[in-house]
Every structure is written in C-alpha cells, then in structure tokens.
Amino acid sequence: MTKLFIVIPCYNESEVLFETSKRLKEKFTELINNKNITADSKVIFVDDGSQDNTWEIIEQLHSKDNLFSGCKLSRNRGHQNALLAGLYCAKGNCDAVISMDSDLQDDINAIDDFIREYENGYEVVYGVRNKREKDSAFKRVTAEGFYKFMNFMGAEVVFNHADYRLLGKNALEKLFEFKEVNLFLRGLVPLIGYKSAKVYYERNERFAGKSKYPLKKMLSFAFDGISSLSIKPIKMIIHLGIIFVFISLIILIYSLISYFSGNAVSGWTSLIVSIWAIGGLNLIAIGIIGEYVGKVFLETKQRPRFIIEEELK
Ligand code: UDP
Ligand code: MG
C-alpha cells in the first residue's frame, strides 16, 4: 500500500477549494477503502500568498479533517515555486506524491492510474492530456506549438504534460539535488531519470474563477523554460555566424565575376563583401563569448552530475 500525498498550489482559489476538497475527500475515502493507499495519506494545500481568504479556508479544512494539511508562503512566488514548497513539505513523509492544480482541470480519477503505475515500479508518472477538445482552436495550436518549440530549443519536455504527475520518494528526494533558482519543473523532472510511465487523461474546464496564467505569463514561462534549461539559443548564434561568413564567400565570388565582367559600380564589390563578412565574424565572436557564458551558466546551476538509482554491495 502506498502512502500518498497530493500537493496543490493555490493562488486566490477561494471559489474552488470547497469543491476540490470535497471531491478529493471522496476519492481518498474510496482509495483507502479499496486498500490502494494508506489511511494516513494526505492532501497538502499550498497557499501561494493569496490575497483572498484561501488560507482561512485551508485552516478550516484542516481543523475539520486530518486528511487536509496546509503550507502558507509568505508572499506570492508563482506556481512553480509554490509547487516546490509543497513537494518539500511532502519529502520524507510519503511513498509517492502527486502534484495537481486546484481548479479541478486535472481529472481526479487519473489518480488510480498514477498509483497503479507507481506500484508497477515506475518512479515518475506523467499525466498527459489525450485530447484538447475543450480548448479553443487558438489555445490548442499555441499550447501544442509551445511543446514543439520547447523541444526544438533544447528544453526537453514531455508532450502535452503540464504539472500533473506522480513522483516516487526516490525521485522526489533527487529533485531537491537540483539547486537552481529559476525553476521549470516539467523540464527538470525528465533530467532526474528513473523509469517513467505516462497516464492519459482528459483536461476539464476550470471549475470556477479565472486562470492565473494569462498569455503574457505563459510566454514568459516558455522563455524561462528555454533559458533555464538550454543553451541552444547561444549555439544558434554561432551557426548563424558561420552561415553569414559562407554567404559572404558566395557574394565574393559573385561580385568578382561582376567586377571582371564590368557590371559592377565601383566600390560596391568591397562594400558588399565586407558587410557580410564582418556581420558573420561578429556573430561568431558573440557566439564564442556566449559559449563561455553558457558554460558559466551551467556551472552555476550546480546540478548533480549523476544520480545513482541502485547499488549492489
Ligand atoms: N497558481 C499559484 N501561484 C500563481 C499562479 C497560479 O499557485 O502565482 C496555482 C493556481 O492556484 C492553480 C495552478 O497554479 O492551482 C494553475 O493555475 P491556473 O489554473 O490559473 O493556470 P491554467 O490552468 O489556466 O494554465
Ligand atoms: Mg487551471
């Protein structure tokens, strides 16, 4: 039997918390009765510096029922940090932890599958949306483009997986060996390794209230993800520089032909070749400096160089 914790970051979620807690209570009762999880399993609500009475509701839930516990951040730090804080509270106290949104968009019934996969020996289980029927065409295209673009830019993420996932206690512990401050959990979790599985679910509409992720925040989130996981943009500068220098050589040949065949205005040949050559050399130089900056960037993260899964002694 698994001792399961669920971590739920909440930012101004007073409209949804009663319903969310009610449905979680039902789910936990069912899982406990079916002996899928232990009776001391818990739900941790993380209040991410809400301005409404989210924390009072969490206190109330906790005083009525031991299933619910809470953790309050001193101010709003954003979804990723709130989630990490909740995972920190869970670390060392459970066998497995599931992270979930508070707005019931993530299908609670997928929890059964998460636990089943965990018991089958998967240390990391990703919740993946199978359809996006309920999203508008715009949201669907931008969201799916987001995952493709992230992967293209060198930030490895699981397609259509947000932050609905299960981590076993080993993976959870290792996650905290990643000390970086710019947090992009869905890019970090694949770096931990371990055997992983996927669980497919349908994502619902928000139960109540408004999304705390407007487009502007989404874009900055994507940029954060790329810039905190990958130095591919720097490498692209060097590639561009090499292409420019190559173009300058082609132009050199072309303009020499024009010059000798008498078709060139005087001064044009040297000007056009130097523009491309200097441009290309500039880009290569910036790229080389960037390579070093990239190395410094990776060093400062002090990520674990390896994670040992098992040892035979
Ligand atoms: N959230 C948070 N801090 C923030 C923004 C959001 O803890 O600064 C929580 C929010 O309460 C919710 C989850 O993160 O439980 C996902 O946010 P939301 O549902 O607004 O995002 P969307 O589903 O629209 O992408
Ligand atoms: Mg949501």
Side-chain angles (χ1 to χ4, degrees), residues 8-143:
I8 303 182
C10 311
Y11 178 56
N12 294 343
E13 297 288 10
S14 53
E15 284 171 89
V16 302
L17 274 183
F18 283 116
E19 184 65 23
T20 306
S21 54
K22 197 182 109 211
R23 297 217 200 151
L24 280 168
K25 177 71 189 171
E26 286 164 12
K27 188 81 222 169
F28 269 69
T29 312
E30 176 196 320
L31 289 167
I32 292 169
N33 288 343
N34 292 343
K35 303 217 177 322
N36 289 321
I37 60 174
T38 61
D40 54 355
S41 297
K42 271 192 189 309
V43 175
I44 305 178
F45 288 113
V46 182
D47 174 22
D48 185 15
S50 302
Q51 281 104 29
D52 64 357
N53 61 341
T54 295
W55 182 244
E56 284 71 33
I57 297 175
I58 296 170
E59 282 179 321
Q60 209 177 319
L61 289 168
H62 171 69
S63 65
K64 281 201 208 128
D65 193 333
N66 238 345
L67 171 67
F68 301 111
S69 60
C71 148
K72 184 180 192 297
L73 301 193
S74 61
R75 53 159 294 172
N76 180 248
R77 291 310 317 263
H79 172 243
Q80 298 286 293
N81 287 311
L83 186 51
L84 190 73
L87 293 176
Y88 183 78
C89 296
K91 185 165 75 90
N93 298 320
C94 59
D95 298 322
V97 63
I98 293 178
S99 48
M100 201 178 99
D101 287 353
S102 57
D103 54 6
L104 296 170
Q105 283 194 281
D106 302 328
D107 181 11
I108 285 185
N109 293 318
I111 294 176
D112 300 69
D113 300 334
F114 277 113
I115 296 167
R116 199 189 53 240
E117 295 297 8
Y118 173 69
E119 287 183 346
N120 286 341
Y122 294 97
E123 193 61 27
V124 180
V125 187
Y126 299 104
V128 176
R129 293 176 217 181
N130 52 4
K131 284 191 216 112
R132 281 184 179 267
E133 277 168 2
K134 293 201 174 114
D135 287 345
S136 66
F138 175 74
K139 173 85 188 174
R140 194 162 51 226
V141 171
T142 49

Side-chain angles (χ1 to χ4, degrees), residues 139-151:
K139 173 85 188 174
R140 194 162 51 226
V141 171
T142 49
E144 292 190 346
F146 167 86
Y147 293 98
K148 288 184 183 143
F149 184 65
M150 295 293 290
N151 280 321

Side-chain angles (χ1 to χ4, degrees), residues 1 21 50 68 160 177 181 186 212-213 223 258:
M1 257 202 293
S21 54
S50 302
F68 301 111
N160 267 345
E177 289 190 18
V181 179
R186 52 185 103 159
K212 275 81 194 171
Y213 263 110
F223 186 71
S258 309

